[in-house]
């Protein structure tokens, strides 16, 4: 997978946050978030550059081939870092576990006060990445992908919503909170472009549809 990690992407940071509303719940303005994905115009360009190919096989796939969560610093692993980043007023114990805080799930507009109600979603699921090119990576490269805090690849969301997403791509699953779909598509394309992963035709069409409405 030569060149993937040498690539340097100029990230276009959106100048305004989404005024996100779902029902009567509004995303807190102070809410921290995953790294800002590229702008919709850049995402459309990136999408046009991705290789379109039928999804590969899931044969040989295992989550163990994408080691996570790894230690980031001290006692803190990737999950705890994301929980701290994505929440507000998060308190951690000596083991770095989040013992209190407030979290807003961008996918469904739900608010939580217990870390156990949250999963850390891989924007591009591990199995999806495997079928899109990661099967040829080294374990070290897959570990970097599974714990990537620099790209918009990890986000704290309602646990059962993450489980309903599973390893589906945007042709099969999108956040129920429509106000977040533009950000979701931008992030998906950002990650796939950075890691030089392929897209299938239905996935590309679904992404184009969302991005054209951004």
């Amino acid at each position: 997978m030569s060149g993937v990690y040498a690539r340097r992407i100029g990230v276009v940071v959106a100048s305004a946050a989404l005024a996100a509303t779902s029902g009567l719940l509004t995303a807190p303005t102070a809410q921290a978030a995953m790294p800002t994905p590229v702008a919709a115009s850049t995402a459309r360009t990136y999408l046009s550059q991705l290789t379109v190919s039928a999804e590969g096989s899931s044969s040989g796939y295992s989550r163990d081939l994408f080691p996570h969560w790894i230690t980031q610093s001290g006692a803190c692993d990737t999950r705890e870092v994301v929980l701290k980043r994505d929440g507000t007023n998060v308190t951690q114990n000596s083991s770095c576990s989040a013992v209190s805080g407030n979290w807003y799930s961008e996918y469904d507009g739900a608010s939580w006060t217990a870390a156990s109600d949250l999963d850390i979603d891989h924007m591009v699921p591990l199995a999806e990445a495997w079928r899109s090119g990661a099967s040829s990576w080294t374990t070290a490269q897959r570990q970097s992908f599974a714990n990537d805090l620099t790209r918009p690849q990890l986000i704290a969301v309602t646990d059962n919503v993450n489980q309903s997403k599973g390893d589906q791509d945007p042709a099969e699953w999108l956040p129920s909170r429509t106000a977040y779909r533009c950000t979701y598509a931008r992030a998906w394309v950002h990650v796939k472009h950075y890691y030089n992963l392929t897209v299938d035709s239905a996935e590309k069409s679904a992404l184009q549809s969302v991005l054209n409405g951004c």
Side-chain angles (χ1 to χ4, degrees):
M1 196 183 63
S2 61
V4 172
Y5 287 78
R7 181 185 296 173
R8 293 293 179 266
I9 296 175
V11 177
V12 180
V13 180
S15 60
L18 286 174
T21 303
S22 176
L24 299 177
L25 291 175
T26 301
T29 55
Q31 177 80 10
M34 68 179 183
T36 303
V38 292
S41 58
T42 304
R44 286 191 288 269
T45 299
Y46 282 3
L47 182 58
S48 71
Q49 296 170 350
L50 293 178
T51 298
V52 179
S53 177
E55 273 198 354
S57 171
S58 293
S59 177
Y61 167 73
S62 168
R63 290 178 67 84
D64 293 340
L65 295 172
F66 294 78
H68 66 289
W69 305 110
I70 62 170
T71 300
Q72 293 291 341
S73 64
C76 301
D77 65 18
T78 309
R79 171 181 166 83
E80 298 303 338
V81 170
V82 176
L83 284 173
K84 175 76 170 179
R85 182 198 71 189
D86 289 4
T88 53
N89 303 316
V90 178
T91 300
Q92 296 172 307
N93 63 19
S94 59
S95 300
C96 203
S97 297
V99 294
S100 65
N102 297 279
W103 292 270
Y104 179 85
S105 173
E106 297 282 7
Y107 289 1
D108 59 331
S111 294
W112 303 101
T113 57
S116 58
D117 288 319
L118 297 143
D119 277 354
I120 307 305
D121 179 46
H122 289 96
M123 178 63 62
V124 175
L126 305 182
E128 164 69 21
W130 177 270
R131 297 189 296 265
S132 304
S135 59
S136 66
W137 296 355
T138 65
T139 299
Q141 288 167 331
R142 288 191 288 262
Q143 175 175 294
S144 294
F145 176 82
N147 297 274
D148 190 349
L149 294 167
T150 305
R151 264 61 58 181
Q153 165 66 348
L154 300 173
I155 183 172
V157 296
T158 303
D159 53 3
N160 65 330
V161 172
N162 178 51
Q163 291 151 26
S164 72
K165 171 183 171 178
D167 63 355
Q168 299 177 94
D169 69 33
E172 304 157 325
W173 188 94
L174 287 167
S176 60
R177 187 168 156 265
T178 56
Y180 197 69
R181 289 182 180 180
C182 181
T183 303
Y184 187 86
R186 288 160 48 208
W188 183 283
V189 172
H190 184 155
V191 172
K192 280 224 162 175
H193 186 267
Y194 182 85
Y195 285 99
N196 199 28
L197 296 170
T198 62
V199 290
D200 63 48
S201 57
E203 174 188 356
K204 182 175 182 178
S205 294
L207 289 163
Q208 284 176 325
S209 178
V210 174
L211 291 171
N212 286 342
C214 293

